[in-house]
Amino acid sequence: MLVSINEMLGRAKAEGYGVPAVSAGNEVTLRASIEEAEKANSPLIVLVGYYMTDAVNYYARLIEDFSKAASVPVTAMWDHSSNFKQSVRGIRAGFPSIMVDRSSLPYEENAAQVAEMVRFAHAVDIGVEAEIGHVGGADENMGENSDSALTVPEEAVRFVKDTDCDCLAVAIGTAHGVYKGEPKLRFDLLKELAQKVPVPLVLHGGSGTGDENISKACRMGICKVNVANELMKASYDALIESGMEGNKLYQFWPVLEKGYRKHVAHLFEVCGCAGKAWKADQHLTAKLMK
Ligand SMILES: [Zn+2]
């Protein structure tokens, strides 16, 4: 069943678990992630962004059809829209939610641009995730010239008030992409953010962060964990392990899918949302159809 990001994350926040937001930019991975969610009786968030495809309208329709047919709650987000055009296209395509990422801009510009998109999105019942502080790339993050900036709790509280965003990505020590070592998460900072920020918190850069770190972060207030690289790696490893050559190549997609599925299933356990699926609320479903 297709649900809104607010219903998805509102429940996660209230019950103290996280939901993996998995990169699924094609039919194979979309189907695989939903079927694994059904097997685990878990809610699921699907991520698609321009970094994976520019076929925004096509994927919004595909995800909507698949999500409505699913026996578990599913929602989707148009991830990391980083300028006006990308954000508006996500809204037009009909994604249930979009991420409006202006986190590399100074506070005032970030807040002003997010607030503008929230106005558009909320007018058509689409949720918005924004980011304060900045989750940079892993390579820069590990070096001296990091472009990551930890989230300042007071700024985060003000940002939610200024923008009316539905959920907030925070920077507590993770980074996008592949780490050179396991990152040190600032759980003290997360604790403070979870106490002060009124909307559900989101962790970007979930790949390579370590199961224990992710589980702990979800118990402490992270409601959505974005994972991309790790899933691609699991798919790639499955292909390498099965020694793709000759006619074995005919098994290319099934083998890739197997690797992807295994890791998605693992993420439900790590985030603590396995078994947390709920039944359709007719009232909400009807609202979504408007
Ligand atoms: Zn991200």
Side-chain angles (χ1 to χ4, degrees):
M1 83 201 185
L2 178 64
V3 304
S4 68
I5 194 78
N6 283 345
E7 184 180 6
M8 178 69 75
L9 299 185
R11 282 178 183 259
K13 187 172 157 72
E15 291 182 39
Y17 61 83
V19 182
V22 304
S23 262
N26 54 53
E27 190 188 331
V28 172
T29 50
L30 177 61
R31 189 189 295 275
S33 59
I34 291 179
E35 285 179 7
E36 288 304 318
E38 288 177 330
K39 274 192 220 163
N41 197 31
S42 173
L44 171 74
I45 304 167
V46 172
L47 290 179
V48 188
Y50 271 114
Y51 55 89
M52 301 174 77
T53 177
D54 54 5
V56 50
N57 295 324
Y58 168 68
Y59 278 107
R61 284 197 298 275
L62 195 68
I63 292 170
E64 189 177 347
D65 282 354
F66 274 61
S67 304
K68 281 179 178 168
S71 65
V72 292
V74 180
T75 194
M77 183 174 283
W78 182 237
D79 195 28
H80 280 291
S81 73
S82 57
N83 57 46
F84 182 81
K85 187 173 172 181
Q86 288 184 1
S87 300
V88 169
R89 289 197 163 187
I91 293 172
R92 174 177 175 255
F95 274 86
S97 64
I98 60 169
M99 185 201 180
V100 179
D101 182 9
R102 307 291 188 271
S103 60
S104 52
L105 297 173
Y107 180 95
E108 298 300 338
E109 286 172 60
N110 183 358
Q113 292 193 21
V114 169
E116 179 188 34
M117 293 318 307
V118 166
R119 225 181 134 219
F120 282 111
H122 283 185
V124 285
D125 297 326
I126 286 171
V128 172
E129 175 182 319
E131 179 172 320
I132 190 73
H134 180 65
V135 180
D139 292 344
E140 304 96 281
N141 190 50
M142 302 306 280
E144 297 251 316
N145 300 319
S146 167
D147 72 336
S148 289
L150 293 175
T151 303
V152 178
E154 288 69 29
E155 212 173 61
V157 172
R158 190 181 144 211
F159 187 79
V160 170
K161 220 178 266 173
D162 285 349
T163 63
D164 197 24
C165 64
D166 299 281
C167 52
L168 188 67
V170 290
I172 56 166
T174 58
H176 292 108
V178 184
Y179 296 104
K180 285 174 190 146
E182 200 166 275
K184 293 235 177 322
L185 260 61
R186 286 282 308 274
F187 288 110
D188 57 324
L189 177 58
L190 173 58
K191 192 178 172 194
E192 198 182 341
L193 288 165
Q195 280 165 355
K196 294 182 174 170
V197 178
V199 296
L201 301 177
V202 179
L203 189 71
H204 281 240
S207 296
T209 299
D211 291 353
E212 267 179 45
N213 279 336
I214 298 276
S215 293
K216 190 173 171 187
C218 290
R219 287 195 302 272
M220 288 180 65
I222 291 292
C223 302
K224 171 175 176 274
V225 180
N226 283 23
V227 181
N229 197 291
E230 239 173 43
L231 288 161
M232 306 305 133
K233 180 78 169 52
S235 311
Y236 176 78
D237 286 349
L239 291 172
I240 297 299
E241 275 163 29
S242 21
M244 284 284 144
E245 57 184 31
N247 284 345
K248 272 194 179 174
L249 273 168
Y250 297 150
Q251 291 302 307
F252 181 88
W253 292 111
V255 169
L256 181 153
E257 189 184 331
K258 208 173 151 195
Y260 182 93
R261 276 176 185 269
K262 206 172 146 196
H263 198 64
V264 170
H266 176 68
L267 290 172
F268 296 132
E269 299 299 329
V270 172
C271 292
C273 58
K276 297 285 187 182
W278 60 93
K279 292 274 174 262
D281 177 328
Q282 290 306 322
H283 176 67
L284 268 171
T285 307
K287 252 171 86 176
L288 276 168
M289 302 292 188
K290 256 200 257 175

